[in-house]
Amino acid sequence: QSGLTALDYGFVNTSATKSAITYIDGDKGILRYRGYPIEQLAENSTYLEVAWLLIYGELPTADQLANFDENIRRHTLLHEDLKRFFSALPHTAHPMSVLSSALSALSTYYEGSLDPNDPDMVEINTVRLLAKLPVIAAYAHKKSIGQAFLYPDNSLSFVDNFLKLNFGNMAEKYDIDPVLGRALDQLLILHADHEQNASTSTVRLVGSTGANMFASVSAGVNALSGPLHGGANEAVLDMLGQIRESGGGVKQFVDRVKNKDAGVRLMGFGHRVYKNYDPRAMIVKNSADKVLEALGVTDPLLDLAKELEQIALSDDYFIERKLYPNVDFYTGVIYKAMGFPTRMFTVLFAIGRLPGWIAHWREMQTDPQTKIGRPQQLYIGSPERQLRKP
Ligand code: SDX
């Protein structure tokens, strides 16, 4: 026995590290990036501004932001050989699998400039990741729908370039939609960081071994893909669709959740830290109607989601367990209205979360107290026994 008594599955009561990046008060539903409330950043900031804030600790000056934006635009191109990587994958490949494997492949073009202890390499790889991950994401989308990859258009803003890579094509002129761009930019801000969630903890754990930034972020993408984590935004849309197709209505589904039928869960509900309404979910819910109206889209699944929330929040089963909507509950309806296929939803979460992953990886790398992550365990296996000689 290791002498350990407190068993703590899932790090429920464990502080794995110190961090100055994000603060959450789960009981009060508070989320702050470097001290700034998420509501103010979502309303008044941009994704690149928030990325700078998370990574460098302060809001950028106008010049810093302009240089950061320009630098990212100048690194959007992927090596031409890397585009052949995508042709090795089936068009049915899940975009999250494409994203994590392409990120690992991307790092092979930078052998010799991946040293985690070289500040110049950390800076250039920060920009490379922020610039190229969205391009890889758009290529995963194009691959899944059998359309040609477009080249990035560096005359466009970060979000407009990403939207054009996804929805533009070789046959038509692409018209920028400012409503779409602003709505996506705000969603990326809302996903940008969330302290020691499973994927960020994964990035830190992998990085603590000395693995490079690309390898660590690729591991984070894989952790995020699970339906209990970032994959929940995709699972919510599937759940709402099943409720609608079943014809049994919301009440019947809620009863199945309460009976724990075959592990049925209310996806997009519940959170390890928030025992109150996830402030991000509140912002998304409040903007969903406005965004769908501005996009000229109506979707019965939004009304279904609101009905589901209303029934759940008045039911003791959920109240006793402090289960509220989390960031994944309403985002999918907006992503769908934007035109993204359901399997791209978690990829959009990953693009949003990238600055947080980078910020935590850098914070860990520069913390002199950082040690390689190696949790303990309570051994419950066989006592010593002897191998019988033949
Ligand atoms: C994200 O950590 C982060 O910060 C994550 C995230 C981020 O920004 O990085 O916020 C993003 O991952 C949000 C969560 C997305 N996942 C889902 O929406 C999937 C559905 N939710 C859950 O599976 C669950 O709520 C978790 C995984 C989010 C949290 O799980 P916990 O904290 O380990 O809670 P638990 O599984 O121990 O559940 C406690 C009780 C249990 O009931 P009892 O066994 O005590 O009777 O609540 C029940 C659970 O059965 N429960 C649910 C439920 N979530 C918990 N019951 C029905 N539906 C749910 N969604």
Side-chain angles (χ1 to χ4, degrees), residues 4 44 77 122 131 160 166 175 205-206 208 226 252 303 309 344 354:
L4 262 181
N44 308 303
L77 282 177
V122 170
D160 288 338
N166 278 280
D175 295 326
L205 183 60
V206 171
S208 74
Q252 186 188 72
D303 297 331
E309 175 192 340
M344 278 294 287
L354 180 60

Side-chain angles (χ1 to χ4, degrees), residues 71-82:
N71 215 359
I72 286 170
R73 291 179 196 223
R74 284 194 17 252
H75 284 79
T76 50
L77 282 177
L78 300 186
H79 193 293
E80 278 298 300
D81 290 351
L82 183 60

Side-chain angles (χ1 to χ4, degrees), residues 13-83:
N13 287 308
T14 305
S15 285
T17 186
K18 305 189 299 294
S19 177
I21 299 170
T22 289
Y23 172 74
I24 299 175
D25 181 323
D27 293 327
K28 296 187 186 126
I30 289 173
L31 169 59
R32 300 185 196 126
Y33 294 164
R34 299 285 189 180
Y36 293 100
I38 188 65
E39 294 80 3
Q40 295 176 22
L41 292 168
E43 191 58 37
N44 308 303
S45 195
T46 66
Y47 169 70
L48 286 189
E49 202 173 30
V50 165
W52 179 281
L53 171 67
L54 288 167
I55 293 168
Y56 297 104
E58 296 297 335
L59 286 165
T61 63
D63 282 352
Q64 286 170 330
L65 185 58
N67 292 332
F68 190 50
D69 187 328
E70 174 58 24
N71 215 359
I72 286 170
R73 291 179 196 223
R74 284 194 17 252
H75 284 79
T76 50
L77 282 177
L78 300 186
H79 193 293
E80 278 298 300
D81 290 351
L82 183 60
K83 290 165 76 173

Side-chain angles (χ1 to χ4, degrees), residues 274-297:
Y274 289 124
K275 301 308 171 190
N276 198 325
Y277 214 105
D278 181 335
R280 303 165 298 175
M282 187 64 77
I283 296 167
V284 177
K285 179 184 176 184
N286 292 339
S287 70
D289 286 315
K290 276 189 294 203
V291 172
L292 265 66
E293 188 189 342
L295 295 174
V297 173

